[in-house]
Amino acid sequence: MKLNQTLFALLFFVVTGSVNANSASDFVIDDIKIEGLQRVALGAALTYMPVKVGDTMNGFRIAQVIKSLYSSTHFESIKVLRDGDTLVVQVKERPTISNIIFEGNDDIKDEQLQESLDGSNIRIGEPLDRTVLTGLESGLKDFYYSVGKYNADVTAIVTPLPRNRVDLKFLFEEGEAAKIAQINIVGNEIFSDAELLEGFELGFDPAWWDIMAETRYQKQTLEGDMETLRSYYLDRGYLQFRVNSTQVSMTPDKEGIYVAINVTEGEQYNVSEVEVTGELLGHGDTIRALLPLRGDTLYNQALVTYTEEFISKYLGRFGYAYPTVTTIPDINDEDNTVKLTMRVDPGKRIYVRRINFVGNDITKDEVLRREVTQMEGSFLSNQALEVSKANISRRLNFVDEVEFETVRIPGEEDKVDVEFSMKEQPSGSFNAGIGFGDRTGLSLQAGVSQDNFLGSGKQVGFNVNTNRYQKQAAITYNDPYFTIDGISLGGTLSYSELDAGDFGLVQYNTKTYRIGGTFGFPINEYNRLRFGVTYENEELAQRNTYEQTQRFYDLFIDPNDPDAPIKYDSFVLSAAWIRSTLNRGLFPTAGSNQTLSLSATTPNSDANYYKAEFNTRFYFPLSNDQRWSLLTRLRVGYGNGYGDINGKDQFLPFTQNFTAGGAGTLRGFENNTVGPRAIQRTTGTLTDPNGDPVGYGPLSDSLFVTERSIGGNAIAIGGVELIVPTPFIGEEYDTQVRSSIFLDVGTVWDTEFVYDDYKDLSLDSLSEECLLDFADPGLYRASYGLSVQWLSPMGPMVFSFSRALKEQSGDEVKFFSFNIGQTF
């Protein structure tokens, strides 16, 4: 178009340029006039003129003027004329785009369309080049054709406006996408069409229940399916498999697509030998010993690729970040074998100049840097970088996502910068709200907590919580890096009141004051030890008399005031071993976590007891994207008293008993109701045959077994949980929503309970089935169901739908439970 306009202008100048007799002759420019300017300033237009006053004008210079002015993109048409010795340039400016409108586009978002137009300089405020509109229409139609919409049409409509402006409207008629009527594979004899098509994303004639099946033709998806087909054969030894052609044809009504794939399967090959050559930097024996690929095996392309990556990653541990591993096949068609020669070029050893952090708007660099094992100035180690990434994800709960990349330094062949980019998530909260749970009832919460105080990584909190059964206030502090070596220091000051009856336990009230401190130090990347000391003052009041609690009360009761609350002081020493290889702190999908904790009161405490507990969780990813994962978990614990008071053996305080039921332990059962039940024993008056009282005695003993649990000094709980993608929720929300199918199994028992002391006593009708041998760990419970956890704006929410598989007499089961505003 521009060439035609240039030729026209030249012809116009020669034929009609001027009535002057010397119009076809060269002349010296005495003045320059540009006519028709509206938006473009005269000075700006003159800057594009390759001639000036005093220059000699000729045919060559005319072509230069026209070409230069068109290159400015401001003008739609240009005429060059001569008026005496004055050079006259008449221009028509391109109209300015006042507005861009998209109408009828459902498959393409406005933002995507605008990005495409930006590449052609079509945007509001810019001059409109009409010559590119036809190309844009064709390009958009090609996009629709690639997704099977062969009836689609795109029309650009230009509407003139005053002051040389235009509205630009793109009208889309998308139509319906053509569906795949059939996919045929021609030339396959070893594998059936059904076997080969099973791995395709594209499909046809899906089952009625398969609502997620993709039956619309898409060119890019078909190309991906071709790679899947090649991999299917190459991974099964068919080294010379070929896709000869792919034909896509359309029905006359443009609503159906037929796909025909012509293949040559070839023969199946075995690997006769694997040879590793090149510069192996003294690690040749180790690489060959650990090589995943071996001779005398069926050829597998996926294994070949994995072996190349294995060698590259192994060399990357020693600073050779960009090695090249090339596999050369030597095919022997006589015996259908192939010798694989893997040539290794490690390249230069790479050193780290600087480590940078991006995206940490709140967290200080030093908080992140102390989790990084890759050192500046040392050689680059991909193993150290992966460990550093895992440390940041696992240890810093206020970091949601973290990735790293190496950036080559211009002019430096052996140096790189490492850049960690991350996305932070809220690390603290100010609570002033209400929550509701099916067991806890209405709860009021207020407090402040911060896991990343002022970006320092320190944890500071002040919380006040109250609900139907508990009131609690606590101040907490923890510095995970009190020293540069990773020694942590923390402390807690708290007060709480508990009404155990409303908590699902037997009736008693407690008031507890607690102050303590902890410190810990790392053993290595995954293991840590923690020690602590805590002073506790506890008061028990409003107690009912139960067999399992009375033995503890008897140690501290005041004979002169048996109904008064009992108080006792304890100094608790604790130690814990923590091991974690989880891939992230919140909603992990891979790795494991183990915790072994031991605690005991000092001999100078009023109550002498000890407790031991072991918790473990294993996450096994079931898919490459780790959206499917299997969780197995186990918790076991035991506690008891030691020593005696006035000749009476000490017991584990029943306030320290293990309990189960509800979220976190055994779903499908009411909170804290699983385990030994409290027993009340009464002694009646003995009478003679005439009914006259003769005294008291054990023959008149009777028992009442409550519906409430007292807990036990031993616990064993386990479970299996299949973590699945939450339906209708995208992958980007996996750190906020988690769905799982679970099986919970567990039991709580009392090793100090003696069943023989009670089995022969009289029971009321309600207690006959509830008196069990509470010392028997075989009295287990089990449940299964579905759980959804959501970190909502108002706080964590847990929804569980469950059924009891195994229950004991008197158990309280429930199908649905939820909690709002409580941690889980």
Side-chain angles (χ1 to χ4, degrees), residues 725-745:
T726 304
F728 314 113
I729 297 294
E731 186 175 355
E732 63 272 18
Y733 297 103
D734 284 350
T735 57
Q736 301 176 38
V737 181
R738 165 162 288 185
S739 301
S740 61
I741 302 169
F742 64 84
L743 171 66
D744 292 343
V745 181

Side-chain angles (χ1 to χ4, degrees), residues 683-697 700:
T683 303
T685 302
L686 291 178
T687 60
D688 59 18
N690 297 322
D692 296 326
V694 295
Y696 296 90
S700 65

Side-chain angles (χ1 to χ4, degrees), residues 131-259:
T131 61
V132 304
L133 293 181
T134 302
L136 286 173
E137 291 173 342
S138 299
L140 292 171
K141 288 179 184 178
D142 290 341
F143 168 79
Y144 282 108
Y145 296 163
S146 70
V147 296
K149 292 196 171 186
Y150 292 98
N151 291 316
D153 191 24
V154 182
T155 305
I157 302 173
V158 179
T159 304
L161 298 174
R163 301 191 304 277
N164 199 27
R165 296 176 301 120
V166 294
D167 273 350
L168 180 58
K169 181 178 182 180
F170 288 91
L171 183 61
F172 296 84
E173 296 180 9
E174 294 182 334
E176 294 294 328
K179 293 186 177 181
I180 299 176
Q182 195 168 6
I183 301 177
N184 294 316
I185 302 178
V186 181
N188 55 311
E189 298 178 356
I190 301 167
F191 301 106
S192 66
D193 284 11
E195 290 176 288
L196 299 177
L197 293 175
E198 186 176 355
F200 277 33
E201 288 191 44
L202 293 179
F204 65 95
D205 192 24
W208 64 269
W209 48 264
D210 191 2
I211 60 175
M212 303 300 291
E214 180 57 78
T215 60
R216 297 192 311 171
Y217 170 73
Q218 297 190 45
K219 182 179 179 181
Q220 291 181 340
T221 305
L222 179 61
E223 292 174 353
D225 287 339
M226 292 300 96
E227 290 302 317
T228 300
L229 181 62
R230 292 186 185 93
S231 298
Y232 188 91
Y233 275 93
L234 291 175
D235 293 348
R236 289 160 177 77
Y238 295 91
L239 182 58
Q240 301 199 55
F241 169 81
R242 298 288 183 274
V243 176
N244 300 320
S245 63
T246 303
Q247 287 123 11
V248 179
S249 57
M250 189 167 43
T251 59
D253 59 3
K254 296 184 180 182
E255 293 183 355
I257 296 290
Y258 292 95
V259 179

